[in-house]
Coordinates of all heavy atoms in Angstrom, one line a residue:
M1 N 0.8 -1.1 0.0 CA 0.0 0.1 0.0 C 0.9 1.2 0.0 O 1.9 1.3 0.7 CB -0.9 0.0 1.3 CG -1.8 1.1 1.4 SD -2.9 1.0 2.8 CE -4.0 2.2 2.4
E2 N 0.6 2.2 -0.8 CA 1.4 3.4 -1.0 C 0.8 4.4 0.0 O -0.4 4.7 0.1 CB 1.3 4.0 -2.4 CG 2.2 5.1 -2.5 CD 2.0 5.8 -4.0 OE1 1.6 5.0 -4.9 OE2 2.4 6.9 -4.1
I3 N 1.8 5.0 0.8 CA 1.4 6.1 1.7 C 1.7 7.4 1.2 O 3.0 7.7 0.8 CB 2.2 6.0 3.0 CG1 1.9 4.5 3.7 CG2 1.9 7.0 4.0 CD1 0.4 4.3 4.1
T4 N 0.7 8.3 0.9 CA 1.0 9.6 0.3 C 1.3 10.5 1.5 O 1.1 10.3 2.7 CB -0.3 10.2 -0.3 OG1 -1.3 10.2 0.7 CG2 -0.7 9.2 -1.4
P5 N 2.0 11.6 1.1 CA 2.4 12.6 2.2 C 1.3 13.1 2.9 O 1.4 13.4 4.2 CB 3.2 13.7 1.4 CG 3.6 13.0 0.1 CD 2.7 12.0 -0.2
E6 N 0.1 13.3 2.3 CA -1.1 13.7 3.0 C -1.6 12.7 4.0 O -2.0 13.1 5.1 CB -2.3 14.0 2.0 CG -1.9 15.2 1.0 CD -1.1 14.7 -0.2 OE1 -1.1 13.6 -0.7 OE2 -0.4 15.7 -0.6
M7 N -1.6 11.4 3.5 CA -2.0 10.4 4.5 C -1.0 10.4 5.8 O -1.5 10.2 6.9 CB -1.9 9.1 3.9 CG -3.1 8.8 2.8 SD -2.8 7.3 1.7 CE -3.1 6.0 3.1
L8 N 0.2 10.5 5.5 CA 1.3 10.5 6.6 C 1.0 11.7 7.5 O 1.1 11.4 8.7 CB 2.7 10.6 6.0 CG 3.8 10.5 7.0 CD1 3.8 9.1 7.7 CD2 5.1 10.7 6.4
Q9 N 0.7 12.7 7.0 CA 0.5 14.0 7.8 C -0.8 13.8 8.6 O -0.8 14.2 9.8 CB 0.4 15.4 7.0 CG 1.8 15.8 6.4 CD 2.8 15.9 7.6 OE1 2.5 16.5 8.7 NE2 4.0 15.6 7.4
K10 N -1.8 13.2 8.1 CA -3.1 12.9 8.7 C -2.8 11.9 9.9 O -3.3 12.2 11.1 CB -4.1 12.4 7.9 CG -5.5 12.3 8.5 CD -6.7 11.9 7.5 CE -7.9 11.8 8.3 NZ -9.0 11.5 7.5
I11 N -2.1 10.9 9.7 CA -1.8 9.8 10.7 C -1.0 10.4 11.7 O -1.2 10.2 12.9 CB -1.1 8.7 10.0 CG1 -2.1 7.9 9.0 CG2 -0.6 7.8 11.1 CD1 -1.3 6.9 8.2
A12 N 0.1 11.4 11.4 CA 0.9 11.9 12.4 C 0.0 12.8 13.3 O 0.2 12.9 14.5 CB 2.0 12.8 11.7
H13 N -0.9 13.5 12.6 CA -1.9 14.5 13.4 C -2.7 13.7 14.4 O -2.8 14.0 15.6 CB -2.7 15.4 12.4 CG -3.6 16.2 13.2 ND1 -3.3 17.3 13.8 CD2 -5.0 16.0 13.3 CE1 -4.5 17.8 14.4 NE2 -5.5 17.1 14.1
L14 N -3.3 12.7 13.9 CA -4.1 11.8 14.8 C -3.2 11.2 16.0 O -3.8 11.0 17.0 CB -4.8 10.7 13.9 CG -5.8 11.1 13.0 CD1 -6.3 10.0 12.1 CD2 -7.0 11.8 13.7
A15 N -2.1 10.8 15.6 CA -1.1 10.3 16.7 C -0.4 11.3 17.5 O 0.3 11.0 18.4 CB -0.1 9.3 16.1
R16 N -0.8 12.6 17.2 CA -0.1 13.7 18.0 C 1.4 13.7 17.8 O 2.0 13.8 18.8 CB -0.6 13.8 19.3 CG -2.1 13.8 19.5 CD -2.6 15.1 19.1 NE -4.0 15.4 19.4 CZ -5.0 15.2 18.7 NH1 -4.8 14.8 17.3 NH2 -6.3 15.5 19.0
L17 N 1.9 13.4 16.6 CA 3.4 13.3 16.4 C 3.8 14.5 15.5 O 3.1 14.9 14.7 CB 3.7 12.0 15.6 CG 3.5 10.7 16.4 CD1 3.7 9.4 15.4 CD2 4.2 10.6 17.7
E18 N 5.0 15.0 15.8 CA 5.6 15.9 14.8 C 6.5 15.3 13.9 O 7.5 14.7 14.4 CB 6.2 17.0 15.7 CG 6.8 18.1 14.9 CD 7.5 19.1 15.8 OE1 7.1 19.3 16.9 OE2 8.4 19.8 15.3
V19 N 6.2 15.3 12.7 CA 7.0 14.6 11.7 C 7.7 15.7 10.8 O 7.2 16.6 10.2 CB 6.3 13.8 10.7 CG1 7.1 13.2 9.6 CG2 5.5 12.7 11.4
K20 N 9.1 15.6 10.9 CA 10.0 16.6 10.2 C 10.0 16.3 8.7 O 9.9 15.0 8.3 CB 11.4 16.6 10.7 CG 11.5 17.0 12.2 CD 12.9 17.0 12.7 CE 12.8 17.3 14.2 NZ 14.1 17.0 14.7
P21 N 10.1 17.2 7.8 CA 10.0 16.9 6.3 C 11.1 16.0 6.0 O 10.8 15.1 5.1 CB 10.3 18.3 5.7 CG 9.8 19.3 6.7 CD 10.1 18.7 8.0
E22 N 12.3 16.0 6.5 CA 13.2 15.1 6.1 C 13.1 13.6 6.6 O 13.6 12.6 6.2 CB 14.7 15.5 6.6 CG 14.8 15.6 8.1 CD 14.5 17.0 8.7 OE1 13.9 17.8 7.9 OE2 14.8 17.3 9.8
E23 N 12.1 13.4 7.5 CA 11.8 12.0 8.0 C 10.6 11.5 7.2 O 10.3 10.3 7.5 CB 11.4 12.2 9.6 CG 12.5 12.6 10.5 CD 12.0 12.8 11.9 OE1 10.8 13.1 12.0 OE2 12.8 12.7 12.8
E24 N 9.9 12.2 6.5 CA 8.6 11.7 5.8 C 8.9 10.5 4.9 O 8.1 9.5 4.9 CB 8.0 12.8 5.0 CG 7.4 13.9 5.9 CD 6.6 15.0 5.0 OE1 6.7 14.9 3.8 OE2 6.0 15.9 5.7
T25 N 10.0 10.6 4.1 CA 10.2 9.4 3.2 C 10.4 8.1 3.9 O 9.8 7.1 3.5 CB 11.4 9.8 2.3 OG1 11.1 11.0 1.6 CG2 11.6 8.6 1.1
E26 N 11.3 8.2 4.8 CA 11.6 6.9 5.6 C 10.5 6.5 6.4 O 10.1 5.2 6.4 CB 12.9 7.2 6.6 CG 13.3 5.9 7.3 CD 14.5 6.2 8.2 OE1 15.0 7.3 8.1 OE2 14.9 5.4 9.0
L27 N 9.7 7.4 7.0 CA 8.6 6.9 7.8 C 7.5 6.4 6.9 O 6.7 5.5 7.3 CB 8.0 8.2 8.5 CG 7.0 7.9 9.7 CD1 7.5 7.0 10.6 CD2 6.6 9.2 10.3
A28 N 7.2 7.0 5.8 CA 6.2 6.5 4.8 C 6.5 5.2 4.3 O 5.8 4.3 4.2 CB 6.0 7.4 3.6
A29 N 7.8 4.9 4.0 CA 8.3 3.5 3.6 C 8.1 2.5 4.7 O 7.6 1.4 4.5 CB 9.7 3.6 3.2
G30 N 8.4 2.9 5.9 CA 8.2 1.9 7.1 C 6.7 1.6 7.3 O 6.4 0.5 7.6
L31 N 6.0 2.7 7.2 CA 4.5 2.5 7.5 C 3.9 1.6 6.3 O 3.1 0.7 6.6 CB 3.8 3.8 7.6 CG 2.4 3.9 8.0 CD1 2.2 3.2 9.4 CD2 1.8 5.3 8.0
A32 N 4.3 1.8 5.1 CA 3.8 1.0 4.0 C 4.2 -0.5 4.2 O 3.5 -1.4 3.9 CB 4.4 1.5 2.8
E33 N 5.5 -0.7 4.7 CA 5.9 -2.0 4.9 C 5.1 -2.8 5.9 O 4.7 -3.9 5.9 CB 7.3 -2.1 5.4 CG 8.0 -3.4 5.5 CD 9.5 -3.3 5.9 OE1 10.1 -2.3 5.4 OE2 10.0 -4.1 6.6
V34 N 4.7 -2.0 7.0 CA 3.9 -2.6 8.1 C 2.4 -2.9 7.5 O 1.9 -4.0 7.8 CB 3.8 -1.6 9.2 CG1 2.7 -2.2 10.2 CG2 5.1 -1.5 10.0
L35 N 1.9 -2.0 6.8 CA 0.6 -2.3 6.2 C 0.6 -3.4 5.2 O -0.4 -4.2 5.1 CB 0.1 -1.0 5.5 CG -0.2 0.2 6.5 CD1 -0.7 1.4 5.7 CD2 -1.4 -0.3 7.5
N36 N 1.6 -3.6 4.4 CA 1.8 -4.8 3.6 C 1.8 -6.0 4.3 O 1.2 -7.1 4.0 CB 3.0 -4.6 2.6 CG 2.8 -3.6 1.7 OD1 1.8 -3.3 1.2 ND2 3.9 -3.0 1.1
W37 N 2.5 -6.0 5.5 CA 2.6 -7.2 6.3 C 1.2 -7.5 6.8 O 0.8 -8.7 6.9 CB 3.6 -6.9 7.5 CG 3.7 -8.1 8.4 CD1 4.4 -9.3 8.1 CD2 3.2 -8.2 9.7 NE1 4.3 -10.1 9.2 CE2 3.6 -9.6 10.1 CE3 2.6 -7.3 10.5 CZ2 3.1 -9.9 11.4 CZ3 2.2 -7.8 11.8 CH2 2.5 -9.0 12.2
M38 N 0.4 -6.4 7.2 CA -0.9 -6.6 7.8 C -1.8 -7.3 6.7 O -2.7 -8.1 7.0 CB -1.4 -5.3 8.3 CG -0.8 -4.8 9.5 SD -0.8 -5.8 10.9 CE -2.6 -5.6 11.4
E39 N -1.6 -6.9 5.4 CA -2.4 -7.3 4.4 C -2.2 -8.8 4.2 O -3.0 -9.6 3.9 CB -2.1 -6.6 3.1 CG -2.8 -5.3 3.1 CD -2.5 -4.4 1.7 OE1 -1.7 -5.0 0.9 OE2 -2.9 -3.4 1.6
Q40 N -0.8 -9.3 4.4 CA -0.5 -10.7 4.3 C -1.2 -11.6 5.3 O -1.5 -12.6 5.1 CB 1.0 -10.9 4.5 CG 1.9 -10.4 3.3 CD 3.3 -10.6 3.5 OE1 3.8 -11.1 4.6 NE2 4.1 -10.2 2.6
L41 N -1.4 -10.9 6.5 CA -2.1 -11.7 7.6 C -3.7 -11.9 7.2 O -4.2 -12.9 7.7 CB -2.1 -10.8 8.9 CG -0.7 -10.8 9.6 CD1 -0.9 -9.9 10.8 CD2 -0.3 -12.1 10.0
T42 N -4.2 -11.1 6.4 CA -5.6 -11.4 5.9 C -5.7 -12.6 5.1 O -6.7 -13.2 4.8 CB -6.2 -10.2 5.2 OG1 -5.5 -10.0 4.0 CG2 -6.3 -9.0 6.1
E43 N -4.6 -13.1 4.5 CA -4.6 -14.2 3.7 C -4.5 -15.5 4.5 O -4.9 -16.6 3.9 CB -3.4 -14.2 2.7 CG -3.4 -13.1 1.8 CD -2.2 -12.9 1.0 OE1 -1.2 -13.7 1.1 OE2 -2.0 -11.9 0.3
V44 N -4.4 -15.4 5.7 CA -4.3 -16.7 6.6 C -5.6 -17.3 6.8 O -6.6 -16.5 7.2 CB -3.6 -16.3 8.0 CG1 -3.5 -17.5 8.8 CG2 -2.1 -15.8 7.8
D45 N -5.8 -18.6 6.6 CA -7.1 -19.3 6.9 C -7.2 -19.4 8.4 O -6.6 -20.2 9.0 CB -7.0 -20.6 6.1 CG -8.3 -21.3 6.3 OD1 -9.4 -20.6 6.6 OD2 -8.3 -22.5 6.2
T46 N -8.3 -18.7 8.9 CA -8.6 -18.8 10.3 C -9.9 -19.5 10.5 O -10.5 -19.3 11.6 CB -8.6 -17.5 10.9 OG1 -9.6 -16.7 10.2 CG2 -7.3 -16.7 10.8
T47 N -10.3 -20.3 9.6 CA -11.6 -21.0 9.7 C -11.5 -22.0 10.9 O -10.5 -22.8 11.1 CB -11.9 -21.9 8.5 OG1 -11.8 -21.0 7.3 CG2 -13.2 -22.6 8.6
G48 N -12.4 -21.9 11.9 CA -12.6 -22.8 13.0 C -11.7 -22.3 14.2 O -11.6 -23.0 15.1
V49 N -11.0 -21.2 14.0 CA -10.2 -20.7 15.2 C -11.0 -19.7 16.1 O -11.6 -18.8 15.5 CB -8.9 -19.9 14.6 CG1 -8.1 -19.4 15.7 CG2 -8.1 -20.9 13.6
E50 N -11.1 -20.1 17.3 CA -11.9 -19.2 18.2 C -11.2 -18.0 18.5 O -9.9 -18.1 18.7 CB -12.1 -20.1 19.5 CG -13.1 -21.2 19.3 CD -14.6 -20.7 19.0 OE1 -15.0 -19.7 19.5 OE2 -15.1 -21.5 18.2
P51 N -11.8 -16.8 18.6 CA -11.1 -15.6 18.9 C -10.6 -15.7 20.4 O -11.3 -16.4 21.2 CB -12.3 -14.6 18.8 CG -13.3 -15.1 18.1 CD -13.2 -16.6 18.2
L52 N -9.5 -15.2 20.8 CA -8.9 -15.2 22.1 C -8.9 -13.9 22.7 O -8.8 -12.8 22.1 CB -7.4 -15.7 22.0 CG -7.2 -17.0 21.4 CD1 -5.6 -17.3 21.3 CD2 -7.8 -18.0 22.4
T53 N -9.2 -13.9 24.1 CA -8.9 -12.7 24.8 C -7.6 -12.7 25.5 O -7.0 -11.6 25.9 CB -10.1 -12.4 25.9 OG1 -10.1 -13.6 26.6 CG2 -11.3 -12.2 25.2
H54 N -7.0 -14.0 25.7 CA -5.7 -14.1 26.3 C -5.0 -15.1 25.4 O -5.6 -16.0 24.8 CB -5.8 -14.6 27.7 CG -6.3 -13.5 28.7 ND1 -7.4 -12.8 28.5 CD2 -5.9 -13.0 29.8 CE1 -7.6 -11.9 29.5 NE2 -6.7 -12.1 30.3
I55 N -3.7 -15.1 25.5 CA -2.9 -16.0 24.7 C -2.9 -17.4 25.3 O -2.8 -18.4 24.5 CB -1.4 -15.4 24.6 CG1 -0.6 -16.2 23.5 CG2 -0.7 -15.7 25.9 CD1 -1.2 -15.9 22.1
N56 N -3.1 -17.6 26.5 CA -3.2 -18.9 27.1 C -4.5 -19.0 27.9 O -5.1 -18.0 28.2 CB -2.0 -19.3 28.0 CG -1.8 -18.3 29.1 OD1 -2.7 -17.5 29.6 ND2 -0.6 -18.2 29.7
G57 N -4.8 -20.3 28.2 CA -6.1 -20.6 29.0 C -6.0 -20.5 30.4 O -7.0 -20.9 31.2
E58 N -4.9 -20.0 31.0 CA -4.8 -20.0 32.4 C -5.6 -18.8 33.0 O -5.8 -17.8 32.4 CB -3.4 -19.8 32.8 CG -2.5 -21.0 32.4 CD -1.0 -20.8 32.8 OE1 -0.7 -20.0 33.6 OE2 -0.2 -21.7 32.3
Y59 N -6.0 -19.1 34.2 CA -6.9 -18.1 34.9 C -6.1 -17.7 36.2 O -5.3 -18.6 36.8 CB -8.3 -18.5 35.2 CG -9.1 -18.6 34.0 CD1 -9.3 -20.0 33.3 CD2 -9.7 -17.7 33.4 CE1 -9.9 -20.2 32.2 CE2 -10.5 -17.7 32.2 CZ -10.6 -19.0 31.6 OH -11.2 -19.1 30.5
N60 N -6.4 -16.5 36.8 CA -5.9 -16.2 38.1 C -6.4 -16.9 39.1 O -7.7 -17.3 39.2 CB -6.0 -14.7 38.4 CG -5.2 -13.6 37.6 OD1 -4.1 -14.1 37.1 ND2 -5.8 -12.5 37.4
I61 N -5.6 -17.5 40.1 CA -6.0 -18.2 41.2 C -5.9 -17.3 42.4 O -4.9 -17.0 42.8 CB -5.3 -19.4 41.4 CG1 -5.4 -20.4 40.2 CG2 -5.8 -20.2 42.7 CD1 -4.5 -21.6 40.2
W62 N -7.0 -16.8 42.9 CA -7.0 -15.8 43.9 C -7.1 -16.4 45.2 O -7.7 -17.5 45.5 CB -8.4 -14.9 43.9 CG -8.4 -14.2 42.6 CD1 -9.1 -14.5 41.5 CD2 -7.7 -13.0 42.1 NE1 -9.0 -13.6 40.5 CE2 -8.1 -12.7 40.8 CE3 -6.7 -12.3 42.7 CZ2 -7.6 -11.6 40.2 CZ3 -6.2 -11.1 42.0 CH2 -6.6 -11.0 40.7
R63 N -6.3 -15.9 46.1 CA -6.3 -16.4 47.5 C -7.3 -15.7 48.4 O -7.7 -14.6 48.1 CB -4.9 -16.3 48.2 CG -4.4 -14.8 48.4 CD -3.1 -14.8 49.2 NE -2.6 -13.4 49.2 CZ -3.1 -12.5 49.9 NH1 -4.1 -12.8 50.9 NH2 -2.6 -11.3 50.0
E64 N -7.7 -16.3 49.4 CA -8.8 -15.7 50.3 C -8.1 -14.5 51.0 O -6.9 -14.6 51.5 CB -9.2 -16.6 51.3 CG -10.5 -16.1 52.0 CD -11.1 -17.2 53.0 OE1 -10.8 -18.4 52.8 OE2 -11.7 -16.8 53.9
D65 N -8.7 -13.4 51.0 CA -8.1 -12.1 51.6 C -8.5 -12.2 53.1 O -9.7 -12.1 53.5 CB -8.8 -10.9 51.0 CG -8.1 -9.7 51.4 OD1 -6.9 -9.8 52.0 OD2 -8.6 -8.6 51.2
L66 N -7.5 -12.4 54.0 CA -7.6 -12.5 55.3 C -7.0 -11.3 56.1 O -5.8 -11.1 55.7 CB -7.1 -13.9 55.9 CG -7.7 -15.2 55.3 CD1 -6.8 -16.3 55.8 CD2 -9.1 -15.2 55.8
A67 N -7.7 -10.7 56.9 CA -7.1 -9.5 57.7 C -6.5 -10.1 59.0 O -7.1 -10.8 59.7 CB -8.2 -8.5 58.0
F68 N -5.2 -9.8 59.1 CA -4.6 -10.2 60.5 C -3.3 -9.2 60.6 O -2.8 -8.6 59.7 CB -4.0 -11.6 60.4 CG -3.0 -11.9 59.3 CD1 -1.7 -11.8 59.5 CD2 -3.5 -12.2 58.0 CE1 -0.8 -12.1 58.5 CE2 -2.6 -12.5 57.1 CZ -1.2 -12.3 57.3
N69 N -2.9 -9.1 61.9 CA -1.8 -8.3 62.3 C -0.6 -9.1 62.0 O -0.3 -10.1 62.8 CB -1.9 -7.8 63.7 CG -3.0 -6.9 63.9 OD1 -3.4 -6.0 63.0 ND2 -3.6 -6.8 65.1
S70 N 0.3 -8.6 61.2 CA 1.5 -9.4 60.9 C 2.7 -8.9 61.6 O 3.7 -9.4 61.7 CB 1.8 -9.4 59.4 OG 1.9 -8.2 58.9
L71 N 2.5 -7.6 62.2 CA 3.6 -6.9 62.9 C 3.0 -6.6 64.3 O 2.1 -5.8 64.4 CB 4.1 -5.7 62.1 CG 5.3 -5.1 62.5 CD1 6.5 -6.0 62.6 CD2 5.5 -3.8 61.6
D72 N 3.7 -6.9 65.2 CA 3.4 -6.7 66.6 C 3.6 -5.1 66.8 O 4.4 -4.5 66.4 CB 4.2 -7.5 67.6 CG 3.8 -7.2 69.0 OD1 2.7 -7.5 69.4 OD2 4.7 -6.9 69.8
R73 N 2.7 -4.5 67.7 CA 2.7 -3.1 68.0 C 4.0 -2.7 68.5 O 4.6 -1.7 68.1 CB 1.5 -2.7 68.8 CG 1.6 -1.2 69.1 CD 0.5 -0.9 70.1 NE 0.2 0.5 70.2 CZ -1.0 1.0 70.0 NH1 -2.0 0.2 69.8 NH2 -1.1 2.3 70.0
E74 N 4.7 -3.5 69.4 CA 5.9 -3.2 70.0 C 7.0 -3.2 69.1 O 7.9 -2.3 69.1 CB 6.1 -4.0 71.3 CG 5.1 -3.9 72.4 CD 5.1 -2.4 72.8 OE1 6.2 -1.8 73.0 OE2 4.0 -1.9 73.0
V75 N 7.0 -4.2 68.3 CA 8.0 -4.3 67.2 C 8.0 -3.1 66.2 O 8.9 -2.6 65.9 CB 7.9 -5.6 66.4 CG1 8.8 -5.7 65.3 CG2 8.1 -6.8 67.4
A76 N 6.7 -2.7 65.8 CA 6.6 -1.6 65.0 C 7.0 -0.4 65.5 O 7.8 0.4 65.0 CB 5.2 -1.4 64.4
L77 N 6.8 -0.1 66.9 CA 7.3 1.1 67.6 C 8.7 1.2 67.8 O 9.4 2.2 67.7 CB 6.6 1.1 68.9 CG 5.1 1.6 69.0 CD1 4.5 1.4 70.3 CD2 4.9 3.0 68.4
E78 N 9.3 -0.2 67.9 CA 10.8 -0.1 67.9 C 11.5 0.2 66.6 O 12.6 0.8 66.6 CB 11.3 -1.5 68.4 CG 10.8 -1.8 69.8 CD 11.3 -3.3 70.2 OE1 12.0 -4.0 69.4 OE2 10.9 -3.8 71.3
L79 N 10.8 -0.1 65.5 CA 11.4 0.2 64.2 C 11.2 1.7 63.8 O 11.8 2.1 62.8 CB 10.7 -0.6 63.1 CG 11.0 -2.3 63.3 CD1 10.2 -3.0 62.3 CD2 12.5 -2.5 63.1
A80 N 10.3 2.4 64.4 CA 10.0 3.8 64.1 C 11.2 4.7 64.4 O 11.8 4.5 65.5 CB 8.7 4.2 64.7
P81 N 11.4 5.7 63.6 CA 12.6 6.6 63.9 C 12.2 7.6 65.0 O 12.9 8.0 65.8 CB 12.7 7.4 62.6 CG 11.5 7.2 61.8 CD 10.9 5.9 62.3
D82 N 10.9 7.9 65.2 CA 10.5 8.7 66.4 C 9.1 8.3 66.9 O 8.3 8.1 66.0 CB 10.4 10.2 65.9 CG 10.3 11.1 67.0 OD1 10.6 10.7 68.2 OD2 9.9 12.3 66.8
R83 N 9.1 8.1 68.2 CA 7.7 7.6 68.8 C 7.6 8.1 70.2 O 8.5 8.7 70.8 CB 7.8 6.0 68.7 CG 8.9 5.5 69.7 CD 9.0 4.0 69.5 NE 10.1 3.4 70.4 CZ 9.8 2.8 71.5 NH1 8.5 2.5 71.9 NH2 10.9 2.3 72.2
N84 N 6.4 7.9 70.7 CA 6.1 8.1 72.2 C 5.7 6.7 72.7 O 6.1 5.7 72.1 CB 5.1 9.2 72.4 CG 3.8 9.0 71.8 OD1 3.5 7.8 71.5 ND2 3.0 9.9 71.8
E85 N 5.0 6.7 73.8 CA 4.7 5.4 74.4 C 3.8 4.5 73.5 O 3.9 3.3 73.5 CB 4.0 5.6 75.8 CG 4.7 6.4 76.8 CD 4.5 7.8 76.6 OE1 3.4 8.3 76.1 OE2 5.4 8.6 76.9
A86 N 2.9 5.1 72.7 CA 2.0 4.3 72.0 C 1.8 4.5 70.5 O 1.2 3.7 69.9 CB 0.5 4.4 72.6
Y87 N 2.5 5.6 70.1 CA 2.3 6.0 68.7 C 3.6 6.4 68.0 O 4.6 6.8 68.6 CB 1.3 7.3 68.6 CG 0.0 7.0 69.2 CD1 -0.4 7.4 70.4 CD2 -1.0 6.3 68.5 CE1 -1.6 7.3 71.0 CE2 -2.2 6.1 68.9 CZ -2.6 6.4 70.3 OH -3.8 6.2 70.7
I88 N 3.6 6.3 66.7 CA 4.7 6.7 65.9 C 4.5 8.1 65.6 O 3.5 8.6 65.2 CB 4.7 5.8 64.5 CG1 5.0 4.3 64.8 CG2 5.8 6.4 63.7 CD1 4.9 3.5 63.6
K89 N 5.5 9.0 65.7 CA 5.5 10.5 65.5 C 5.9 10.6 64.1 O 7.0 10.1 63.7 CB 6.4 11.2 66.5 CG 5.9 11.2 67.9 CD 6.8 12.1 68.7 CE 6.4 12.1 70.2 NZ 7.4 12.9 71.0
V90 N 5.1 11.5 63.4 CA 5.6 11.9 62.0 C 5.6 13.4 62.0 O 4.9 14.0 62.8 CB 4.5 11.3 61.0 CG1 4.7 9.7 61.0 CG2 3.2 11.7 61.2
P91 N 6.2 14.0 60.9 CA 6.3 15.4 60.7 C 4.9 16.0 60.5 O 4.1 15.3 59.8 CB 7.3 15.7 59.5 CG 7.9 14.4 59.5 CD 7.2 13.3 60.0
K92 N 4.6 17.1 60.9 CA 3.4 17.9 60.7 C 3.2 18.1 59.1 O 4.2 18.6 58.5 CB 3.3 19.1 61.4 CG 1.9 19.8 61.4 CD 1.9 20.9 62.2 CE 0.6 21.7 62.2 NZ 0.5 22.8 63.2
V93 N 2.1 17.8 58.5 CA 1.9 17.8 57.1 C 1.1 19.1 56.8 O 1.3 19.9 55.9 CB 1.3 16.6 56.5 CG1 1.1 16.8 55.0 CG2 2.1 15.4 56.7
I94 N 0.0 19.4 57.6 CA -0.9 20.4 57.4 C -0.6 21.5 58.3 O -0.6 21.3 59.5 CB -2.4 20.0 57.4 CG1 -2.6 18.9 56.4 CG2 -3.3 21.0 57.2 CD1 -3.9 18.2 56.6
E95 N -0.6 22.7 57.9 CA -0.3 23.9 58.8 C -1.7 24.5 59.2 O -2.6 24.5 58.6 CB 0.6 24.9 58.2 CG 2.0 24.3 58.0 CD 2.9 25.3 57.5 OE1 2.7 26.6 57.7 OE2 3.9 25.0 56.8

């Protein structure tokens, strides 16, 4: 498929790309090559092939979401850079 300069500018505009005049020839040739390859794909016989949403048939195996304390309060307070008896101290964010 031949890509005209007008087609190239329209595609570049739709893709929000800035194409310099010295790049037009090379870009048009590359785009034509891709489109020719896509045309070759239409020749492939896909009779009896089911459309896929994923490349493989595997599904996510979700674990049950359980809430639990994995860090003891005293251990967390020991790891904090600044604390008082029961809480971690942080810098004031809102004035």
Side-chain angles (χ1 to χ4, degrees):
M1 177 175 200
E2 184 181 340
I3 303 296
T4 64
E6 295 81 25
M7 290 171 65
L8 182 64
Q9 288 302 322
K10 183 174 182 177
I11 293 168
H13 173 73
L14 292 172
R16 304 295 190 254
L17 296 174
E18 184 180 330
V19 178
K20 297 176 184 171
E22 59 270 12
E23 297 173 333
E24 285 183 1
T25 306
E26 184 180 348
L27 191 58
L31 189 55
E33 189 177 325
V34 170
L35 291 175
N36 288 333
W37 181 73
M38 294 298 288
E39 286 177 2
Q40 288 179 0
L41 289 177
T42 62
E43 299 172 5
V44 176
D45 181 24
T46 57
T47 308
V49 177
E50 294 290 325
L52 296 175
T53 56
H54 289 54
I55 194 69
N56 59 18
E58 295 179 14
Y59 294 96
N60 286 334
I61 300 172
W62 302 102
R63 64 173 172 80
E64 188 175 343
D65 192 15
L66 301 173
F68 61 93
N69 290 331
S70 61
L71 187 61
D72 184 56
R73 180 184 198 127
E74 293 304 317
V75 174
L77 287 171
E78 288 176 14
L79 295 173
D82 193 13
R83 66 187 178 108
N84 64 13
E85 300 83 35
Y87 300 103
I88 297 172
K89 291 183 181 180
V90 295
K92 186 175 181 177
V93 178
I94 301 174
E95 292 185 27

